Amino acid sequence: MAEGVASTSLYERAEHAARTIRARLTTEPRIAIVLGSGLGGFADDFEEPVRIPYNEIPGFPRSTVEGHTGRLVAGKVDSVPVLAMQGRVHFYEGYSLEEVTFPIRTFKLLGLKTLILTNAAGGINVQLTQGALMVISDHVNLMGDNPLRGPNDDRFGPRFPDMSTVYSPALQELVVEEAKAIGAEVRRGIYGGLSGPSYETPAEIHLLRNLGADAVGMSTVPEAIVARHMDLEVLGISCITNMAAGISDEPIDHAEVMATGDRVRGTFTELLRGVVARINSRV
Ligand code: HPA
């Protein structure tokens, strides 16, 4: 059968994508990083970069949003091999959650062990100010869908995967320690994932606050669920690019979200570099 046709299984399509990527890699990365809105610049500094546009990888979805470059960048961060997504696709673009999480399936088949998910998010907890970084301790899936809905392929993971510990406590601790070491402020918090694309109303943010969410965004949750389904180790870091609706009186604007991402680039990069080094040197 021709490759890439819809009747092949998700697993086979992910294998095909993984083979295509592996053929171009010069390293064997264990750490994958998904770079969120305004945070893609991190991959621009990789040593020995290999860049693969998503449209050259069979089955990879293409981002339709400004500020989300669509390519994989493999390379080294202080000699540690990593694989990064410069830009991701979102549920709000019209993709199914299976499509949104297809790259994560591929990463597992490529042999990656640890997934670092980053995103831009609105701050709900008032202790999180604009430009702050939040380590995700847990999430609330309010997207109205689940990436595991549909037939389960046991080669990936179980039908009913446990979600008691989605975000590795050891990795959370490691981020907090690295932040201390470089004098950056991070706090742990719960990420509420909504479908978007409209930003929330103040009433919705009020509701989210009462549900226990510290920050809100439109990504990360599906990727984290799929990663845990396959037993990848997950770390989540949110960049608080704006205060959520009604927390501040300011209207929310995508350009501001991107600009804040750019402003924290230095701290974000330094933190992530340190985190990659610490993950790599764990025994
Ligand atoms: N809401 C949802 N998603 C976001 C926000 C927000 O305020 N800021 C950045 N991504």
Side-chain angles (χ1 to χ4, degrees):
M1 193 182 292
E3 285 181 307
V5 297
S7 58
T8 54
S9 72
L10 173 64
Y11 195 91
E12 285 162 340
R13 283 180 280 129
E15 274 185 324
H16 185 203
R19 274 198 305 276
T20 306
I21 297 164
R22 193 178 291 114
R24 293 179 61 175
L25 295 187
T26 52
T27 53
E28 279 187 34
R30 289 283 176 269
I31 303 171
I33 309 167
V34 180
L35 296 166
S37 308
L39 306 172
F42 181 71
D44 292 338
D45 304 329
F46 287 1
E47 304 139 30
E48 302 165 43
V50 174
R51 301 189 177 91
I52 314 174
Y54 296 156
N55 62 15
E56 294 175 13
I57 308 169
F60 260 52
R62 285 149 223 197
S63 174
T64 61
V65 192
E66 203 188 321
H68 297 270
T69 320
R71 63 185 180 191
L72 275 188
V73 188
K76 292 183 179 171
V77 175
D78 299 326
S79 304
V80 181
V82 295
L83 182 62
M85 289 182 73
Q86 231 177 11
R88 55 150 70 86
V89 303
H90 299 80
F91 190 45
Y92 62 72
E93 293 175 72
Y95 290 108
S96 69
L97 289 185
E98 183 178 294
E99 291 170 310
V100 166
T101 55
F102 183 77
I104 311 301
R105 296 293 191 194
T106 305
F107 292 165
K108 172 70 181 187
L109 299 186
L110 265 172
L112 287 141
K113 303 291 182 210
T114 303
L115 179 66
I116 305 177
L117 297 166
T118 71
N119 59 55
I124 297 176
N125 184 329
V126 292
Q127 294 188 312
L128 293 164
T129 49
Q130 200 175 21
L133 296 173
M134 182 182 94
V135 184
I136 304 178
S137 58
D138 204 350
H139 71 225
V140 185
N141 178 13
L142 296 166
M143 289 196 163
D145 198 357
N146 188 296
L148 305 182
R149 185 170 170 272
N152 185 62
D153 190 325
D154 294 337
R155 288 173 290 183
F156 283 128
R159 170 76 290 185
F160 301 109
D162 176 53
M163 291 287 145
S164 313
T165 316
V166 176
Y167 302 89
S168 157
L171 291 185
Q172 290 175 49
E173 193 54 39
L174 187 149
V175 175
V176 171
E177 278 169 23
E178 177 60 20
K180 259 193 215 137
I182 65 170
E185 216 190 309
V186 299
R187 8 182 115 246
R188 291 175 215 240
I190 295 173
Y191 178 91
L194 270 64
S195 76
S198 52
Y199 290 116
E200 303 70 34
T201 64
E204 286 163 350
I205 292 300
H206 190 85
L207 177 73
L208 278 158
R209 193 172 62 195
N210 287 329
L211 290 175
D214 296 294
V216 59
M218 305 173 193
S219 67
T220 301
V221 167
E223 293 135 320
I225 292 172
V226 162
R228 287 307 296 147
H229 181 232
M230 304 183 297
D231 207 24
L232 290 175
E233 183 186 38
V234 179
L235 169 65
I237 303 175
S238 293
C239 169
I240 306 301
T241 52
N242 57 278
M243 294 320 288
I247 302 292
S248 110
D249 295 333
E250 296 294 316
I252 301 158
D253 158 44
H254 181 61
E256 183 196 10
V257 168
M258 300 302 294
T260 309
D262 218 41
R263 188 161 62 75
V264 303
R265 181 175 168 163
T267 315
F268 177 78
T269 299
E270 196 182 352
L271 182 71
L272 214 46
R273 289 191 94 91
V275 165
V276 165
R278 280 178 192 253
I279 292 175
N280 187 59
S281 63
R282 282 180 312 180
V283 281

